[in-house]
Amino acid sequence: MAKLLALAVLGLALAFVGERFVTFRQRMNIPHQVHPVEPPNCHLVPGLDSTVYLYVVNHPHKKSTVEVFRFEGDALFHLKTIRHELLFSVNDLVVLGPEEFYATNDHYFTNEFLAQLELFLDLQWTNVIYYGPGQVKEVAAGLSFANGITISPDKKYIYVAAVTAHSIHVMKRLDNENLTQEKVLHLGTLVDNLSVDPATGDVWAGCHPNGMKLLLYDPTDPPGSEVIRIQNILSPKPIVTTVYANNGSVLQGSTVAAVYNQKVLVGTLFHRTLYCQL
Ligand SMILES: *[C@@H]1O[C@H](CO)[C@@H](O)[C@H](O)[C@H]1NC(C)=O
Ligand SMILES: *[C@@H]1O[C@H](CO)[C@@H](O)[C@H](O)[C@H]1NC(C)=O
Ligand SMILES: *[C@@H]1O[C@H](CO)[C@@H](O)[C@H](O)[C@H]1NC(C)=O
């Protein structure tokens, strides 16, 4: 008797599940074809089709670390902290792949007094480090306060700003990730951070027209801002244009200009952010 009852209950349960399954399929499946409909100007947003990582240079207790984050939807997850004895005074980095990057050290000394002295004496002892799977090594040395670093759209060249030499070093990547210097572009201004226009390959630099005003900040005579664009940087005659210059009345201490789709954002050390339509 008990067995018969159990069998009846099982039968009912199966019938119920079967019925739910059929209606579930009906609910989930709308039986018509998708006919394309598209407004005239739709573009996929580049870079958002895959996971986006964020690398942040951090200076806890005057040391240097690289913090790696991953975006998932709107949320940002901290994945890991990278520390290495060769990454001792990291200024900026350019990511090549997962946990693979080139980074600049902007000082040779980490001791604050010696670091100031180094700047004062213009010791050209700063460098570029390759950090990658299985190896970490110095790939360029002898730079004057290496700062911004970025990569050409074809990934074959690395551009490094040398602040106190007022220049950008153009370096070629070798198969073993070493760098060889192709040329040095003198710009006559203190070159801080760099970016590359993904559409044209032009290099954009946030610059300091007067470094002393930056060091000895006086609100009545503040440091100015300068944004420089370099077209055809690999050609024998690159075209250098001052796209923006201001004596500090609007924008002080520009460090970076990032371009996308004819729009430029200019960031500063401690002041405001400027947005321009080109
Ligand atoms: C690559 O650079 C490292 C450090 O600068 C150096 O020791 C090594 O010899 C270089 N390798 C080549 C093939 O140039
Ligand atoms: C330098 O500029 C790049 C854009 O090319 C930006 O991603 C990076 O955060 C900047 N780094 C610093 C240290 O300002
Ligand atoms: C800075 O420029 C503004 C406008 O261009 C001008 O009014 C001002 O006098 C200048 N300031 C200095 C300190 O030169």
Side-chain angles (χ1 to χ4, degrees):
M1 185 64 194
K3 277 187 184 143
L4 205 62
L5 196 63
L7 210 62
V9 169
L10 183 68
L12 275 176
L14 284 178
F16 176 74
V17 169
E19 187 270 343
R20 283 290 93 188
F21 190 67
V22 170
T23 59
F24 175 72
R25 276 186 43 162
Q26 282 166 352
R27 257 181 292 131
M28 297 307 283
N29 240 341
I30 288 144
H32 69 67
Q33 294 280 317
V34 175
H35 296 293
V37 177
E38 197 172 290
N41 265 311
C42 292
H43 307 280
L44 289 171
V45 179
L48 291 187
D49 49 347
S50 55
T51 308
V52 177
Y53 291 90
L54 175 69
Y55 284 66
V56 178
V57 175
N58 193 17
H59 296 287
H61 311 293
K62 313 226 165 183
K63 292 193 160 57
S64 293
T65 64
V66 175
E67 309 293 342
V68 186
F69 296 87
R70 187 175 64 220
F71 281 104
E72 277 172 25
D74 288 344
L76 195 56
F77 292 94
H78 183 253
L79 296 184
K80 73 182 287 184
T81 298
I82 295 174
R83 285 185 189 85
H84 193 277
E85 56 184 4
L86 288 182
L87 300 170
F88 48 83
S89 182
V90 179
N91 186 290
D92 195 18
L93 57 82
V94 60
V95 175
L96 306 169
E99 286 175 45
E100 189 184 17
F101 53 82
Y102 287 113
T104 52
N105 280 307
D106 55 18
H107 287 86
Y108 173 80
F109 292 111
T110 48
N111 173 284
E112 204 161 339
F113 172 73
L114 292 177
Q116 295 291 336
L117 191 66
E118 174 187 353
L119 188 61
F120 181 69
L121 297 176
D122 192 27
L123 301 181
Q124 294 165 19
W125 290 356
T126 69
N127 63 6
V128 180
I129 302 299
Y130 167 79
Y131 182 99
Q135 63 171 341
V136 185
K137 59 181 178 179
E138 180 183 70
V139 289
L143 297 150
S144 281
F145 201 132
N147 193 298
I149 183 166
T150 187
I151 193 165
S152 61
D154 65 7
K155 315 270 184 234
K156 290 184 179 159
Y157 295 90
I158 294 291
Y159 310 124
V160 183
V163 182
T164 46
H166 312 159
S167 59
I168 294 176
H169 293 248
V170 177
M171 310 214 180
K172 197 171 164 52
R173 273 174 87 187
L174 303 181
D175 289 343
N176 65 358
E177 299 299 356
N178 275 12
L179 299 177
T180 51
Q181 186 157 298
E182 292 274 306
K183 64 170 149 190
V184 181
L185 234 75
H186 292 278
L187 297 172
T189 180
L190 283 80
V191 190
D192 196 319
N193 196 5
L194 305 175
S195 72
V196 165
D197 182 338
T200 61
D202 295 349
V203 178
W204 287 70
C207 305
H208 307 290
N210 187 322
M212 282 318 280
K213 288 191 188 177
L214 207 58
L215 288 180
L216 313 168
Y217 186 81
D218 172 2
T220 64
D221 184 20
S225 289
E226 207 169 12
V227 171
I228 286 181
R229 179 187 63 206
I230 303 125
Q231 293 165 291
N232 307 328
I233 192 165
L234 299 171
S235 78
K237 281 211 173 301
I239 302 163
V240 178
T241 312
T242 302
V243 179
Y244 180 81
N246 177 263
N247 66 8
S249 57
V250 175
L251 201 68
Q252 304 174 7
S254 56
T255 53
V256 65
V259 179
Y260 187 71
N261 268 351
Q262 295 296 304
K263 295 175 191 71
V264 61
L265 273 180
V266 184
T268 62
L269 260 186
F270 47 74
H271 200 221
R272 304 152 155 175
T273 300
L274 189 77
Y275 168 74
C276 310
Q277 179 79 44
L278 298 173

